[in-house]
Amino acid sequence: MSTTAQFPPALRLPFFLRSEPVEPALQAALDEADVRAFRLITRVKYVALGLVLVYVLVTLPIEVTVWPITGIFLVMASGAALYRLECSSQRAAWHRYAFLSLDIIVVTLAVLVPNPGFNAAGWAPQIAYRFNSSLYLFIFIALAALTYSPRFVLWAGCFSALSWGVGAAIMLMLPSSRSVLDLPSLSAATDAERLALLLDPHHVPISNITQSMTLLVIVALIVSVAVWRTRRLISRQLGAERERANLSRYFSPSMVEELARTDEPLGKVRAQEVAVLFADIKGFTGIAETATPEATIEMLREFHRRMATAVFAHNGTLDKYMGDGLMATFGTPRVTPDDAVNAIRCARAMTETIAAWNRERAGRGETRIEMGVGVHFGPVVLGDIGDERRLEFAVIGDTVNTASRVEHLTREHGIDAAVSGAAVKAAGLRNAELAGSLRRIGDSGVRGREAAVTLYTFA
């Protein structure tokens, strides 16, 4: 039986406040982006407070600026403290909520508590509600919008409204305060009575206060929805970038762009003609026996990196690594007229790459690497195999087996690369010069096939 709490529909959080399931990798990326966003928030907050400071110094008499300036520097100090927490190992989600609440309270007090400069002249404390000072609280909603948390934005608006309302309630409890509640009947009051109440410096405008509170909540609600949409967009973009990065490990850059634009990139299970290439290090076991494990792994990584570069440079697909070898296909997932040409050119590039690498290794006194490359062309079956837990795009069929056997024949003939007659024929139809650069070795029997395979190598 599930232990997850089920709430009635009326009590469930709005869709933009619910926690959507996010993969750990994406959540880590979102958390990192959130920390970077908070650093931006701190800078923007200081700029905003600096502008408010300039406004205070320009518009208020110098004798009354101490009070608001004190509030500004308190908010700056809390911002610096929170920034240090956010960048430390003690970072916790509740910190920003607590400091935001503290900032709102400080601003509310700075606005509503009688300014000593004004108070000395006998100003009524209720006069603070005549200056539309609740507008300063919208700054916190705007700052919260720079995060990726709809809940944080809504908290900024709701707590601002609560703080403003609590301040009004305290103000109403002062013996000198007057409001519409003091009238026997608002509808029965004369215009003179209403005007006298409105002009009274001790008047607390309840309607204006409730209007400010309502607007704070409404604006926060709208902005939180906008932040939720932004968060979803970022999450999808991060997922797309991760998928693109995964694709780039197997496909050439041009193919990655095509796959990223297609809703069903790999298509359905199907049969098509492709070129298959196998590459393998000859005598790897002997090399591994004389080298340290670290040197062996480093050599394999370098070999795979160089070979993968050649595959991608010729629009191939890296199907899989197999220990000291690899399998690549040309024509997956999309068939092109030059698949056989690209496979043969890739085989030549691989042999040239190994030759250059051996010159580097010789200069360092390292063992020479011998490699065999085999290319074959023919029909294969493509499709996803596996179960719901793990799927793999597979290329299977006799063409794959034959390509592997062709690669093994390089050992018998003492050559670096072997290309089947089928691959040469398919390439010759598109590039006669490339086909002419190959020399025929002869026909060789292949295990598992009755017919011999005609082999070619580079002249």
Side-chain angles (χ1 to χ4, degrees):
M1 180 180 297
S2 175
T3 58
T4 304
Q6 297 294 326
F7 296 99
L11 298 180
R12 292 178 185 171
L13 290 172
F15 66 93
F16 58 91
L17 295 180
R18 298 175 196 163
S19 297
E20 298 183 3
V22 178
E23 295 182 10
L26 290 182
Q27 187 61 56
L30 284 172
D31 291 341
E32 181 181 353
D34 188 52
V35 172
R36 291 198 301 268
F38 186 78
R39 293 171 182 168
L40 173 64
I41 289 172
T42 303
R43 298 189 189 100
V44 173
K45 181 178 181 180
Y46 272 72
V47 171
L49 291 173
L51 293 175
V52 173
L53 179 61
V54 171
Y55 169 78
V56 168
L57 293 175
V58 171
T59 60
L60 295 181
I62 192 65
E63 65 271 12
V64 300
T65 58
V66 175
W67 189 249
I69 289 176
T70 301
I72 291 173
F73 278 101
L74 284 175
V75 175
M76 284 185 171
S78 73
L82 180 56
Y83 183 81
R84 290 178 62 88
L85 278 175
E86 289 285 335
C87 297
S88 70
S89 59
Q90 298 177 344
R91 176 175 178 262
W94 65 268
H95 287 157
R96 59 182 59 183
Y97 286 88
F99 278 86
L100 173 64
S101 303
L102 178 63
D103 289 345
I104 293 172
I105 292 173
V106 168
V107 171
T108 304
L109 291 175
V111 169
L112 297 183
V113 172
N115 188 322
F118 281 126
N119 200 43
W123 285 77
Q126 295 85 352
I127 204 71
Y129 281 104
R130 303 293 180 93
F131 302 125
N132 291 326
S133 301
S134 62
L135 294 177
Y136 289 109
L137 298 175
F138 284 93
I139 294 176
F140 296 107
I141 297 178
L143 289 172
L146 297 177
T147 68
Y148 301 100
S149 173
R151 296 180 183 179
F152 190 58
V153 175
L154 198 57
W155 177 264
C158 291
F159 194 84
S160 295
L162 176 64
S163 179
W164 197 246
V166 170
I170 295 174
M171 195 74 73
L172 282 170
M173 289 188 293
L174 296 178
S176 61
S177 293
R178 295 192 62 201
S179 69
V180 293
L181 300 177
D182 296 320
L183 295 175
S185 173
L186 181 61
S187 58
T190 64
D191 290 341
E193 290 174 333
R194 294 179 183 178
L195 182 60
L197 179 64
L198 183 63
L199 296 178
D200 191 333
H202 299 90
H203 174 232
V204 179
I206 295 178
S207 60
N208 291 354
I209 294 170
T210 55
Q211 177 179 272
S212 297
M213 294 171 61
T214 302
L215 287 176
L216 284 167
V217 174
I218 291 175
V219 171
L221 185 65
I222 295 173
V223 174
S224 64
V225 174
V227 170
W228 171 78
R229 292 189 64 212
T230 302
R231 182 183 176 89
R232 286 191 66 190
L233 179 62
I234 292 174
S235 179
R236 291 175 179 176
Q237 186 65 26
L238 288 173
E241 290 300 324
R242 188 190 63 169
E243 292 171 0
R244 188 186 298 267
N246 288 337
L247 287 173
S248 66
R249 295 166 56 195
Y250 303 98
F251 300 100
S252 64
S254 59
M255 185 61 71
V256 169
E257 293 300 322
E258 178 184 347
L259 295 175
R261 293 193 301 265
T262 309
D263 292 335
E264 192 178 5
L266 298 180
K268 299 179 180 179
V269 176
R270 62 198 182 278
Q272 63 189 47
E273 289 194 329
V274 303
V276 181
L277 179 150
F278 277 85
D280 188 65
I281 297 178
K282 298 178 182 179
F284 174 76
T285 301
I287 297 174
E289 288 178 349
T290 58
T292 65
E294 293 78 10
T296 301
I297 293 299
E298 181 60 30
M299 181 194 68
L300 284 178
R301 288 174 177 169
E302 186 65 16
F303 171 76
H304 288 151
R305 183 185 67 80
R306 292 171 182 265
M307 297 302 100
T309 300
V311 170
F312 294 152
H314 294 85
N315 298 318
T317 298
L318 182 58
D319 186 273
K320 61 174 69 70
Y321 291 121
M322 300 171 295
D324 59 331
L326 59 88
M327 170 185 167
T329 57
F330 299 78
T332 58
R334 300 285 182 267
V335 173
T336 70
D338 294 321
D339 293 332
V341 173
N342 288 334
I344 296 174
R345 285 177 173 170
C346 180
R348 172 180 284 172
M350 285 180 168
T351 59
E352 293 173 350
T353 298
I354 289 296
W357 189 27
N358 277 327
R359 288 192 292 271
E360 296 177 13
R361 293 177 62 85
R364 298 191 296 266
E366 296 175 343
T367 306
R368 178 180 176 82
I369 301 296
E370 299 290 342
M371 181 190 68
V373 183
V375 179
H376 186 49
F377 185 86
V380 298
V381 175
L382 298 85
D384 292 327
I385 60 173
D387 56 20
E388 65 278 1
R389 293 170 296 182
R390 185 179 186 276
L391 289 174
E392 180 179 339
F393 186 69
V395 180
I396 57 177
D398 178 67
T399 298
V400 177
N401 297 332
T402 301
S404 177
R405 308 280 163 67
V406 168
E407 186 275 318
H408 280 285
L409 289 174
T410 60
R411 293 159 174 78
E412 296 181 10
H413 293 276
I415 56 179
D416 293 332
V419 182
S420 71
V424 173
K425 181 179 179 181
L429 297 176
R430 295 287 301 175
N431 193 317
E433 181 181 354
L434 176 64
S437 67
L438 297 165
R439 64 179 177 85
R440 188 175 186 273
I441 298 175
D443 297 338
S444 295
V446 175
R447 181 167 54 87
R449 288 175 59 98
E450 295 183 1
V453 175
T454 303
L455 295 182
Y456 293 79
T457 192
F458 297 110

